[in-house]
C-alpha cells in the first residue's frame, strides 16, 4: 500500500463539495484510473488496480468523500474540533474498506500490519493539515 496525498485530497473534496458531488468527483477520478489514465499512486492506471489488493482503499475513497461531505452538510466542519472528527471518520472508512479488501489477499493480521499501522502517523498529520486548510479553501470556494 503506497503512501500518497490521495487521502488528504479525498477528505477535502468531500468537505468542500458535499456528499453527492464529492463522492461523484472521487468516483470520476477512479473511472479515469480504470480507463488507464495514470492517476493512481506511482502514475499508473488500469482496471487491475481497482480489483487488486489496494482496490479497497480506492473504493473506500468514494465512501469517505460521501461521509465527510454529509458531515460537512450537517455543520460538522464549522469548528476545528468537529472538522477533525469528520476527517477522522472519513479516514476510518478508508481503513475499514481498504483493509477488509486487502485481507482477502493477505489475511487480516497482515492487512492491519501492512495496510493500517504504517499509515497512522502520516494520516494523523493529513487530518490535521486538512483541518487547517479547510477554512481557507471554503472561503476561496465561497468567493467563486
Amino acid at each position: 500500500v503506497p503512501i500518497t496525498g490521495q487521502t488528504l485530497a479525498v477528505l477535502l473534496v468531500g468537505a468542500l463539495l458535499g456528499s453527492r458531488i464529492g463522492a461523484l468527483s472521487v468516483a470520476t477520478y477512479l473511472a479515469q484510473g480504470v480507463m488507464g489514465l495514470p492517476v493512481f499512486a506511482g502514475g499508473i492506471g488500469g482496471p487491475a488496480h481497482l480489483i487488486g489488493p489496494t482496490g479497497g482503499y480506492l473504493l473506500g475513497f468514494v465512501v469517505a468523500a460521501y461521509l465527510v461531505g454529509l458531515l460537512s452538510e450537517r455543520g460538522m466542519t464549522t469548528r476545528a474540533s468537529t472538522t477533525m472528527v469528520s476527517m477522522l471518520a472519513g479516514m476510518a472508512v478508508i481503513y475499514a474498506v481498504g483493509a477488509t479488501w486487502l485481507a482477502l489477499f493477505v489475511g487480516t493480521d497482515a492487512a492491519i500490519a501492512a495496510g493500517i499501522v504504517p499509515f497512522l502517523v502520516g494520516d494523523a498529520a493529513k487530518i490535521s493539515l486538512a483541518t487547517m486548510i479547510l477554512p481557507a479553501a471554503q472561503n476561496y470556494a465561497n468567493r467563486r
Side-chain angles (χ1 to χ4, degrees):
V1 180
I3 295 174
T4 70
Q6 292 170 310
T7 52
L8 173 65
V10 166
L11 298 175
L12 286 171
V13 163
L16 287 168
L17 299 179
S19 59
R20 289 175 294 192
I21 296 173
L24 183 59
S25 295
V26 174
T28 301
Y29 156 75
L30 294 183
Q32 292 171 340
V34 167
M35 291 186 306
L37 293 175
V39 297
F40 296 145
I44 55 177
H49 300 287
L50 199 58
I51 59 173
T54 60
Y57 294 95
L58 296 172
L59 294 173
F61 289 174
V62 178
V63 181
Y66 183 87
L67 176 61
V68 172
L70 185 64
L71 294 172
S72 181
E73 291 164 358
R74 295 189 176 170
M76 290 286 293
T77 56
T78 57
R79 294 189 338 252
S81 60
T82 56
T83 298
M84 197 166 281
V85 169
S86 298
M87 301 294 179
L88 184 60
M91 195 66 74
V93 165
I94 294 169
Y95 285 153
V97 176
T100 299
W101 183 263
L102 182 59
L104 298 173
F105 294 85
V106 299
T108 302
D109 291 342
I112 292 168
I116 295 176
V117 173
F119 302 95
L120 292 172
V121 172
D123 287 341
K126 290 177 199 174
I127 288 169
S128 296
L129 185 59
T131 299
M132 290 185 287
I133 291 172
L134 185 60
Q138 287 171 326
N139 286 337
Y140 179 78
N142 289 338
R143 286 189 302 214
R144 295 271 162 194

